[in-house]
Amino acid sequence: MKMRFREDGTFKIMQITDMQEIPAISKDTIALMERAILEEQPDLVVYTGDQIKGYGVTYKGKGEELEREVAQTIGKLLEPVTKRGIPFAVTFGNHDCQVGISNQDQFYHIYKRLPNCIGEQAEGIDGGGTCAIPIEASDGSGRDVFELYLFDSGTDAREGGYEAFDPKIIAWYRKQREDLREKNGMYVPSFVFQHIPMREYYEVLKRVDRGEKGAVRAYRTHKNEYYKLGETCGAGDIFLEPPSVPDVNTGEFEAFSECGEVLAVFVGHDHDNDYAVMWKNILLAYGRYTGGNTVYNHLPNGARIIVLDEGARTFTSWIRQKDGIVDKVSYPASFVKDDWTKR
Protein backbone atom coordinates (compact mmCIF):
# COMPACT_ATOMS: atom_id res chain seq x y z
CA MET A 1 0.00 0.00 0.00
CA LYS A 2 1.47 3.35 -1.07
CA MET A 3 1.09 6.59 0.85
CA ARG A 4 0.19 9.72 -1.12
CA PHE A 5 -0.53 13.34 -0.31
CA ARG A 6 -4.17 14.34 -0.53
CA GLU A 7 -5.37 16.43 -3.46
CA ASP A 8 -5.26 19.50 -1.21
CA GLY A 9 -1.53 18.93 -0.65
CA THR A 10 -1.72 17.71 2.96
CA PHE A 11 -0.96 14.43 4.68
CA LYS A 12 -2.07 13.80 8.28
CA ILE A 13 -0.20 11.51 10.69
CA MET A 14 -1.37 10.45 14.13
CA GLN A 15 1.33 9.33 16.57
CA ILE A 16 0.24 6.85 19.25
CA THR A 17 2.73 6.00 21.96
CA ASP A 18 3.06 4.15 25.26
CA MET A 19 -0.33 2.52 25.57
CA GLN A 20 1.38 -0.16 27.71
CA GLU A 21 -1.75 -2.27 27.81
CA ILE A 22 -2.63 -5.60 29.38
CA PRO A 23 -5.35 -8.05 28.26
CA ALA A 24 -7.90 -6.14 30.33
CA ILE A 25 -7.52 -3.03 28.17
CA SER A 26 -8.20 0.32 29.81
CA LYS A 27 -11.43 1.96 28.69
CA ASP A 28 -9.59 5.30 28.72
CA THR A 29 -7.18 4.09 26.04
CA ILE A 30 -9.91 2.93 23.68
CA ALA A 31 -12.08 6.00 24.34
CA LEU A 32 -9.19 8.29 23.46
CA MET A 33 -8.39 6.34 20.30
CA GLU A 34 -11.99 6.29 19.10
CA ARG A 35 -12.45 10.01 19.70
CA ALA A 36 -9.12 11.03 18.21
CA ILE A 37 -9.60 9.03 15.03
CA LEU A 38 -13.17 10.21 14.62
CA GLU A 39 -12.14 13.85 14.97
CA GLU A 40 -8.87 13.75 13.03
CA GLN A 41 -9.38 11.20 10.22
CA PRO A 42 -5.64 10.56 9.78
CA ASP A 43 -4.06 9.25 6.61
CA LEU A 44 -1.61 7.16 8.64
CA VAL A 45 -1.28 6.10 12.27
CA VAL A 46 2.23 5.54 13.62
CA TYR A 47 2.70 3.50 16.80
CA THR A 48 5.98 4.40 18.48
CA GLY A 49 6.38 1.57 20.95
CA ASP A 50 5.34 0.10 24.27
CA GLN A 51 2.03 -0.94 22.80
CA ILE A 52 1.88 -3.56 25.55
CA LYS A 53 3.07 -3.71 29.14
CA GLY A 54 5.42 -6.57 28.40
CA TYR A 55 6.55 -7.03 31.98
CA GLY A 56 2.96 -7.12 33.29
CA VAL A 57 2.02 -10.03 35.55
CA THR A 58 -1.13 -10.72 33.53
CA TYR A 59 1.04 -12.03 30.67
CA LYS A 60 2.98 -14.43 32.90
CA GLY A 61 2.42 -18.16 32.97
CA LYS A 62 0.63 -18.27 29.62
CA GLY A 63 2.98 -20.84 28.11
CA GLU A 64 1.97 -21.81 24.58
CA GLU A 65 -1.01 -19.48 24.81
CA LEU A 66 1.16 -16.37 25.18
CA GLU A 67 1.35 -15.37 21.52
CA ARG A 68 -2.39 -15.85 21.08
CA GLU A 69 -3.06 -13.74 24.19
CA VAL A 70 -0.75 -10.96 23.02
CA ALA A 71 -2.23 -11.07 19.51
CA GLN A 72 -5.74 -10.71 20.93
CA THR A 73 -4.67 -7.75 23.07
CA ILE A 74 -2.95 -5.99 20.17
CA GLY A 75 -5.88 -6.73 17.88
CA LYS A 76 -8.27 -5.04 20.32
CA LEU A 77 -5.90 -2.11 20.85
CA LEU A 78 -5.62 -1.44 17.13
CA GLU A 79 -9.27 -2.05 16.32
CA PRO A 80 -10.19 1.66 16.29
CA VAL A 81 -7.73 1.95 13.39
CA THR A 82 -8.10 -1.38 11.59
CA LYS A 83 -11.90 -1.39 11.54
CA ARG A 84 -11.82 1.91 9.64
CA GLY A 85 -9.28 0.69 7.09
CA ILE A 86 -6.70 3.29 8.11
CA PRO A 87 -3.08 2.38 7.24
CA PHE A 88 -0.74 2.06 10.20
CA ALA A 89 2.96 1.49 10.84
CA VAL A 90 4.58 0.20 14.00
CA THR A 91 7.88 0.24 15.82
CA PHE A 92 8.73 -0.99 19.29
CA GLY A 93 9.66 0.30 22.73
CA ASN A 94 11.75 -1.15 25.52
CA HIS A 95 8.82 -3.03 27.09
CA ASP A 96 7.24 -4.80 24.09
CA CYS A 97 9.71 -7.69 23.90
CA GLN A 98 9.67 -8.14 27.67
CA VAL A 99 6.47 -10.11 27.23
CA GLY A 100 8.59 -13.02 26.00
CA ILE A 101 7.97 -12.62 22.26
CA SER A 102 10.67 -10.96 20.17
CA ASN A 103 9.94 -7.77 18.28
CA GLN A 104 10.57 -9.70 15.08
CA ASP A 105 7.93 -12.29 15.92
CA GLN A 106 5.47 -9.64 17.06
CA PHE A 107 6.06 -7.71 13.84
CA TYR A 108 5.56 -10.66 11.48
CA HIS A 109 3.22 -12.94 13.45
CA ILE A 110 0.89 -10.28 14.85
CA TYR A 111 1.06 -6.81 13.32
CA LYS A 112 1.70 -7.79 9.70
CA ARG A 113 -1.32 -10.09 9.84
CA LEU A 114 -3.61 -7.17 10.64
CA PRO A 115 -5.18 -5.24 7.75
CA ASN A 116 -3.34 -2.22 6.34
CA CYS A 117 -0.09 -2.64 8.27
CA ILE A 118 2.51 -0.93 6.09
CA GLY A 119 6.32 -0.81 6.18
CA GLU A 120 8.75 -3.63 5.49
CA GLN A 121 11.58 -4.48 7.85
CA ALA A 122 14.89 -2.93 6.79
CA GLU A 123 17.15 -5.39 5.00
CA GLY A 124 20.05 -6.53 7.13
CA ILE A 125 18.58 -5.16 10.37
CA ASP A 126 17.61 -7.59 13.11
CA GLY A 127 14.19 -7.59 14.73
CA GLY A 128 11.17 -5.66 13.51
CA GLY A 129 9.91 -2.09 13.42
CA THR A 130 12.73 -0.47 11.42
CA CYS A 131 11.49 0.69 8.04
CA ALA A 132 11.20 3.56 5.57
CA ILE A 133 7.83 4.72 4.26
CA PRO A 134 7.77 7.08 1.27
CA ILE A 135 4.90 9.50 0.69
CA GLU A 136 4.24 10.17 -2.96
CA ALA A 137 3.17 13.40 -4.65
CA SER A 138 -0.54 14.14 -4.93
CA ASP A 139 -0.37 14.36 -8.73
CA GLY A 140 -0.08 10.60 -9.15
CA SER A 141 3.38 10.81 -10.70
CA GLY A 142 4.82 8.38 -8.16
CA ARG A 143 7.50 10.84 -7.07
CA ASP A 144 8.65 10.44 -3.48
CA VAL A 145 8.26 13.86 -1.89
CA PHE A 146 8.53 12.92 1.79
CA GLU A 147 9.99 10.02 3.78
CA LEU A 148 9.07 8.56 7.17
CA TYR A 149 11.65 6.53 9.06
CA LEU A 150 10.64 4.22 11.91
CA PHE A 151 13.47 2.89 14.06
CA ASP A 152 13.49 0.19 16.73
CA SER A 153 15.47 2.04 19.40
CA GLY A 154 16.11 -1.02 21.56
CA THR A 155 15.24 -2.19 25.04
CA ASP A 156 16.67 -2.13 28.57
CA ALA A 157 20.42 -2.73 28.85
CA ARG A 158 21.59 -5.64 30.97
CA GLU A 159 23.80 -3.34 33.02
CA GLY A 160 20.93 -0.92 33.60
CA GLY A 161 19.59 1.98 31.59
CA TYR A 162 18.94 1.48 27.88
CA GLU A 163 20.76 -0.13 24.99
CA ALA A 164 22.85 2.08 22.73
CA PHE A 165 21.16 2.87 19.44
CA ASP A 166 22.19 0.25 16.89
CA PRO A 167 24.95 1.60 14.58
CA LYS A 168 23.71 -0.77 11.86
CA ILE A 169 20.44 1.18 11.74
CA ILE A 170 22.39 4.43 11.33
CA ALA A 171 24.35 2.91 8.42
CA TRP A 172 21.11 1.63 6.86
CA TYR A 173 19.51 5.08 7.21
CA ARG A 174 22.47 6.76 5.48
CA LYS A 175 22.23 4.36 2.57
CA GLN A 176 18.47 4.83 2.31
CA ARG A 177 18.92 8.60 2.35
CA GLU A 178 21.44 8.49 -0.48
CA ASP A 179 19.38 6.03 -2.52
CA LEU A 180 16.43 8.41 -2.29
CA ARG A 181 18.59 11.33 -3.38
CA GLU A 182 19.79 9.40 -6.41
CA LYS A 183 16.25 8.34 -7.31
CA ASN A 184 14.64 11.74 -6.85
CA GLY A 185 17.49 14.10 -7.73
CA MET A 186 17.46 15.70 -4.27
CA TYR A 187 17.45 14.87 -0.59
CA VAL A 188 13.88 14.03 0.38
CA PRO A 189 12.54 15.80 3.51
CA SER A 190 11.84 13.34 6.27
CA PHE A 191 10.66 12.57 9.80
CA VAL A 192 12.02 10.04 12.26
CA PHE A 193 9.78 8.11 14.67
CA GLN A 194 11.22 5.99 17.47
CA HIS A 195 10.52 5.16 21.08
CA ILE A 196 13.54 6.12 23.18
CA PRO A 197 14.77 9.73 22.97
CA MET A 198 18.30 10.61 21.91
CA ARG A 199 20.76 12.24 24.30
CA GLU A 200 20.16 15.54 22.49
CA TYR A 201 16.79 15.77 24.23
CA TYR A 202 18.86 16.99 27.20
CA GLU A 203 20.56 19.69 25.14
CA VAL A 204 17.38 21.77 24.88
CA LEU A 205 17.06 21.87 28.66
CA LYS A 206 18.69 24.27 31.10
CA ARG A 207 20.78 22.99 33.98
CA VAL A 208 19.80 24.69 37.22
CA ASP A 209 20.50 24.54 40.95
CA ARG A 210 18.86 21.83 42.99
CA GLY A 211 16.76 24.28 44.98
CA GLU A 212 15.28 26.13 42.02
CA LYS A 213 11.51 25.84 41.79
CA GLY A 214 10.42 23.25 39.25
CA ALA A 215 13.88 21.70 38.92
CA VAL A 216 13.81 18.06 37.78
CA ARG A 217 16.48 15.66 39.03
CA ALA A 218 18.34 13.59 36.44
CA TYR A 219 20.03 10.20 36.73
CA ARG A 220 22.73 7.91 35.31
CA THR A 221 25.06 9.93 33.01
CA HIS A 222 23.41 13.10 34.38
CA LYS A 223 23.30 11.82 37.97
CA ASN A 224 22.46 14.46 40.58
CA GLU A 225 22.08 17.19 37.96
CA TYR A 226 18.90 19.28 37.84
CA TYR A 227 17.11 20.69 34.81
CA LYS A 228 14.25 22.89 33.65
CA LEU A 229 12.96 23.75 30.19
CA GLY A 230 15.43 25.89 28.27
CA GLU A 231 14.94 29.37 26.85
CA THR A 232 13.92 28.06 23.44
CA CYS A 233 11.06 25.97 24.86
CA GLY A 234 7.49 27.14 24.37
CA ALA A 235 4.82 28.13 26.87
CA GLY A 236 2.88 24.91 26.28
CA ASP A 237 5.86 22.58 26.69
CA ILE A 238 5.76 20.13 29.60
CA PHE A 239 8.82 18.70 31.40
CA LEU A 240 8.15 16.61 34.50
CA GLU A 241 10.74 13.83 34.32
CA PRO A 242 14.34 13.51 33.12
CA PRO A 243 14.73 12.22 29.55
CA SER A 244 15.42 8.49 29.76
CA VAL A 245 18.19 8.20 27.19
CA PRO A 246 20.92 5.61 26.49
CA ASP A 247 24.20 6.03 28.37
CA VAL A 248 26.17 5.61 25.14
CA ASN A 249 25.78 7.96 22.18
CA THR A 250 26.40 6.16 18.87
CA GLY A 251 25.94 9.27 16.69
CA GLU A 252 22.31 9.02 15.64
CA PHE A 253 21.60 12.76 15.79
CA GLU A 254 24.86 13.58 14.03
CA ALA A 255 23.77 11.36 11.14
CA PHE A 256 20.43 13.16 10.93
CA SER A 257 22.22 16.52 10.82
CA GLU A 258 24.54 15.71 7.92
CA CYS A 259 22.35 16.62 4.94
CA GLY A 260 19.53 18.73 6.37
CA GLU A 261 16.68 16.51 5.19
CA VAL A 262 15.46 15.41 8.65
CA LEU A 263 12.99 18.04 9.82
CA ALA A 264 11.86 16.43 13.07
CA VAL A 265 12.20 13.47 15.41
CA PHE A 266 9.16 12.20 17.35
CA VAL A 267 9.59 9.90 20.35
CA GLY A 268 7.67 8.51 23.30
CA HIS A 269 8.99 6.66 26.37
CA ASP A 270 8.82 9.50 28.94
CA HIS A 271 5.15 9.58 29.92
CA ASP A 272 5.32 12.90 31.73
CA ASN A 273 7.16 14.90 29.07
CA ASP A 274 5.57 16.68 26.15
CA TYR A 275 7.85 19.26 24.62
CA ALA A 276 8.85 20.14 21.08
CA VAL A 277 12.02 22.20 20.69
CA MET A 278 14.38 23.05 17.82
CA TRP A 279 17.97 21.86 18.23
CA LYS A 280 20.50 22.44 15.45
CA ASN A 281 17.72 22.86 12.90
CA ILE A 282 15.91 19.65 13.83
CA LEU A 283 12.72 19.65 15.88
CA LEU A 284 12.95 17.26 18.84
CA ALA A 285 9.44 16.38 19.95
CA TYR A 286 7.55 14.01 22.19
CA GLY A 287 4.30 12.31 21.40
CA ARG A 288 1.69 12.44 24.16
CA TYR A 289 1.25 9.39 26.37
CA THR A 290 -1.78 7.58 24.94
CA GLY A 291 -2.52 4.85 27.49
CA GLY A 292 -4.88 4.62 30.43
CA ASN A 293 -3.84 4.05 34.03
CA THR A 294 -1.85 0.81 33.74
CA VAL A 295 1.41 2.69 34.41
CA TYR A 296 2.56 6.07 35.75
CA ASN A 297 1.21 9.19 34.05
CA HIS A 298 0.31 12.71 35.13
CA LEU A 299 -0.91 14.23 31.85
CA PRO A 300 -4.26 13.81 30.10
CA ASN A 301 -3.76 11.02 27.59
CA GLY A 302 -3.69 12.06 23.96
CA ALA A 303 -2.20 11.62 20.50
CA ARG A 304 0.15 13.85 18.55
CA ILE A 305 -1.20 15.00 15.19
CA ILE A 306 1.13 16.16 12.40
CA VAL A 307 -0.10 17.65 9.13
CA LEU A 308 2.48 17.82 6.35
CA ASP A 309 2.42 20.38 3.54
CA GLU A 310 3.37 18.99 0.15
CA GLY A 311 6.33 20.65 -1.53
CA ALA A 312 7.22 22.76 1.50
CA ARG A 313 9.42 22.17 4.54
CA THR A 314 6.52 23.10 6.80
CA PHE A 315 4.00 21.27 8.95
CA THR A 316 1.48 21.85 11.71
CA SER A 317 1.18 19.78 14.88
CA TRP A 318 -1.01 19.56 17.96
CA ILE A 319 -2.06 17.22 20.74
CA ARG A 320 -5.53 15.70 20.45
CA GLN A 321 -7.12 14.93 23.81
CA LYS A 322 -10.62 13.60 24.44
CA ASP A 323 -11.79 17.13 25.27
CA GLY A 324 -10.19 18.90 22.31
CA ILE A 325 -6.78 20.00 21.05
CA VAL A 326 -3.90 21.71 22.85
CA ASP A 327 -0.42 23.00 22.01
CA LYS A 328 -0.95 23.73 18.33
CA VAL A 329 2.27 24.79 16.62
CA SER A 330 3.56 25.44 13.11
CA TYR A 331 7.01 24.42 11.93
CA PRO A 332 9.22 26.35 11.65
CA ALA A 333 7.29 29.54 12.45
CA SER A 334 6.41 28.65 16.06
CA PHE A 335 9.94 27.83 17.13
CA VAL A 336 12.69 30.13 18.22
CA LYS A 337 15.72 29.71 16.00
CA ASP A 338 18.30 28.49 18.49
CA ASP A 339 21.75 29.88 17.77
CA TRP A 340 23.45 26.80 19.16
CA THR A 341 26.86 27.98 17.94
CA LYS A 342 26.88 30.44 20.85
CA ARG A 343 26.34 27.75 23.47
Side-chain angles (χ1 to χ4, degrees):
M1 179 183 297
K2 295 183 178 181
M3 298 292 98
R4 181 185 295 176
F5 276 88
R6 300 176 183 180
E7 291 184 359
D8 67 358
T10 64
F11 187 90
K12 182 181 285 190
I13 302 166
M14 176 182 291
Q15 180 193 3
I16 300 296
T17 195
D18 293 270
M19 293 183 288
Q20 288 212 29
E21 279 295 352
I22 58 177
I25 296 172
S26 169
K27 293 181 180 179
D28 286 343
T29 303
I30 297 300
L32 182 278
M33 289 288 296
E34 291 282 0
R35 182 62 183 270
I37 290 169
L38 179 66
E39 295 289 341
E40 298 293 349
Q41 300 291 311
D43 299 300
L44 175 68
V45 175
V46 176
Y47 294 91
T48 51
D50 282 3
Q51 282 74 244
I52 57 173
K53 185 180 178 180
Y55 58 90
V57 295
T58 51
Y59 290 115
K60 305 304 180 185
K62 298 293 183 180
E64 295 179 355
E65 294 295 311
L66 178 61
E67 187 165 308
R68 183 182 63 83
E69 184 88 351
V70 172
Q72 287 183 348
T73 302
I74 290 172
K76 292 176 184 176
L77 272 177
L78 272 61
E79 188 176 5
V81 173
T82 57
K83 72 181 181 183
R84 293 177 170 88
I86 300 171
F88 74 91
V90 62
T91 191
F92 297 95
N94 55 307
H95 292 313
D96 292 292
C97 65
Q98 292 171 352
V99 76
I101 306 172
S102 69
N103 290 348
Q104 177 174 312
D105 285 348
Q106 289 186 49
F107 186 68
Y108 287 109
H109 297 173
I110 299 176
Y111 289 99
K112 293 299 284 184
R113 293 180 179 178
L114 293 172
N116 298 314
C117 179
I118 67 170
E120 300 300 327
Q121 176 66 10
E123 185 176 351
I125 303 298
D126 297 333
T130 295
C131 63
I133 300 171
I135 307 176
E136 296 181 353
S138 60
D139 61 11
S141 63
R143 292 180 298 113
D144 298 333
V145 293
F146 209 90
E147 189 85 355
L148 306 178
Y149 294 101
L150 277 67
F151 296 144
D152 181 350
S153 54
T155 186
D156 299 355
R158 292 182 179 180
E159 64 274 15
Y162 303 99
E163 294 175 337
F165 192 84
D166 188 348
K168 290 191 297 184
I169 296 179
I170 298 175
W172 173 84
Y173 152 74
R174 284 188 168 117
K175 183 179 185 304
Q176 182 73 17
R177 176 186 70 195
E178 295 304 319
D179 288 348
L180 279 169
R181 181 185 65 82
E182 184 174 345
K183 175 184 175 182
N184 295 280
M186 56 177 249
Y187 285 113
V188 177
S190 60
F191 284 162
V192 171
F193 291 92
Q194 64 186 55
H195 184 71
I196 297 176
M198 301 172 292
R199 290 173 62 86
E200 284 73 16
Y201 275 69
Y202 265 103
E203 300 294 344
V204 301
L205 303 174
K206 177 174 66 173
R207 189 173 175 182
V208 297
D209 293 334
R210 174 179 180 177
E212 186 164 333
K213 184 178 180 181
V216 173
R217 183 182 181 182
Y219 300 93
R220 298 195 65 80
T221 53
H222 294 271
K223 184 178 179 180
N224 295 328
E225 297 174 358
Y226 291 80
Y227 291 88
K228 294 178 68 174
L229 290 171
E231 290 84 356
T232 60
C233 297
D237 288 329
I238 301 170
F239 171 58
L240 299 177
E241 64 173 309
S244 296
V245 302
D247 292 349
V248 177
N249 186 352
T250 54
E252 184 185 9
F253 184 86
E254 285 78 4
F256 297 161
S257 302
E258 290 168 348
C259 300
E261 92 288 2
V262 175
L263 305 186
V265 179
F266 299 95
V267 302
H269 194 48
D270 300 329
H271 305 178
D272 285 345
N273 288 341
D274 186 359
Y275 58 80
V277 188
M278 195 82 83
W279 174 249
K280 297 186 178 181
N281 296 319
I282 297 177
L283 186 70
L284 303 181
Y286 279 97
R288 175 66 67 87
Y289 171 80
T290 309
N293 291 312
T294 59
V295 289
Y296 81 93
N297 63 95
H298 298 91
L299 304 177
N301 65 339
R304 179 168 289 281
I305 309 300
I306 311 149
V307 180
L308 295 172
D309 301 314
E310 183 178 6
R313 296 171 61 91
T314 60
F315 60 89
T316 307
S317 182
W318 59 87
I319 301 298
R320 164 62 66 177
Q321 300 176 167
K322 289 193 292 289
D323 59 354
I325 66 173
V326 295
D327 302 335
K328 187 172 184 178
V329 294
S330 297
Y331 172 95
S334 298
F335 301 96
V336 176
K337 187 176 177 64
D338 181 19
D339 189 0
W340 54 269
T341 59
K342 295 181 180 179
R343 286 177 176 254

